Amino acid sequence: MQRVLEARVVVDGETVGAIGRPGLAVLVGVTHGDTHDQARALAAKLHTLRILDSEKSCADVDAPLLVVSQFTLYADTGKGRRPSWNAAAPAGIAEPLVDAVIAELRARGATVASGRFGAHMHLHLLNDGPVTLVIDIEPPSV
């Protein structure tokens, strides 16, 4: 996630999601075995993380979030010159979990814009800080 002053995602020349005031741009990667519980936990963390000005969260100041699916977060560049995408979950697993993050954020009262799953997207953002964090929600231990 990145703290931004504004952000928008464009598909085929059309803006499909945008936030026009300070908030978060969130790139969500899904791997095999990720669960709806992790999606809900991620949404809660994103909504309440005190990362905005004056140590406020999106929940504190009603800051918007732009959520974009990003399978390339799971690229493996350990061998050769071509990344492997084997760690990224297939669309049938990933899309419902990205949708679950968005739905949970909205259920919490957040203003959420999003990209278009599976599309070639152009993300335009004005990073604030810059502040960029990786949030990895581990599966619950048994």
Side-chain angles (χ1 to χ4, degrees), residues 90-106:
I93 294 170
E95 186 172 13
L97 292 176
V98 173
D99 289 345
V101 171
I102 294 167
E104 180 65 22
L105 284 165
R106 288 182 175 147

Side-chain angles (χ1 to χ4, degrees), residues 9-96:
V9 63
V10 176
V11 176
D12 295 329
E14 173 193 356
T15 298
V16 296
I19 58 174
R21 57 191 172 91
L24 301 178
V26 180
L27 305 177
V28 178
V30 178
T31 191
H32 307 277
D34 281 352
T35 67
H36 276 75
D37 286 342
Q38 286 171 284
R40 284 188 289 277
L42 175 61
K45 176 68 85 172
L46 291 167
H47 197 226
T48 61
L49 192 64
R50 293 173 23 184
I51 193 68
L52 301 176
D53 284 343
S54 302
E55 293 189 12
K56 300 289 185 183
S57 70
C58 289
D60 293 332
V61 296
D62 192 29
L65 300 96
L66 175 63
V67 177
V68 177
S69 63
Q70 186 75 26
F71 78 94
T72 61
L73 291 171
Y74 280 102
D76 179 355
T77 59
K79 293 182 182 179
R81 297 181 299 140
R82 181 177 295 170
S84 167
W85 314 114
N86 291 338
I93 294 170
E95 186 172 13

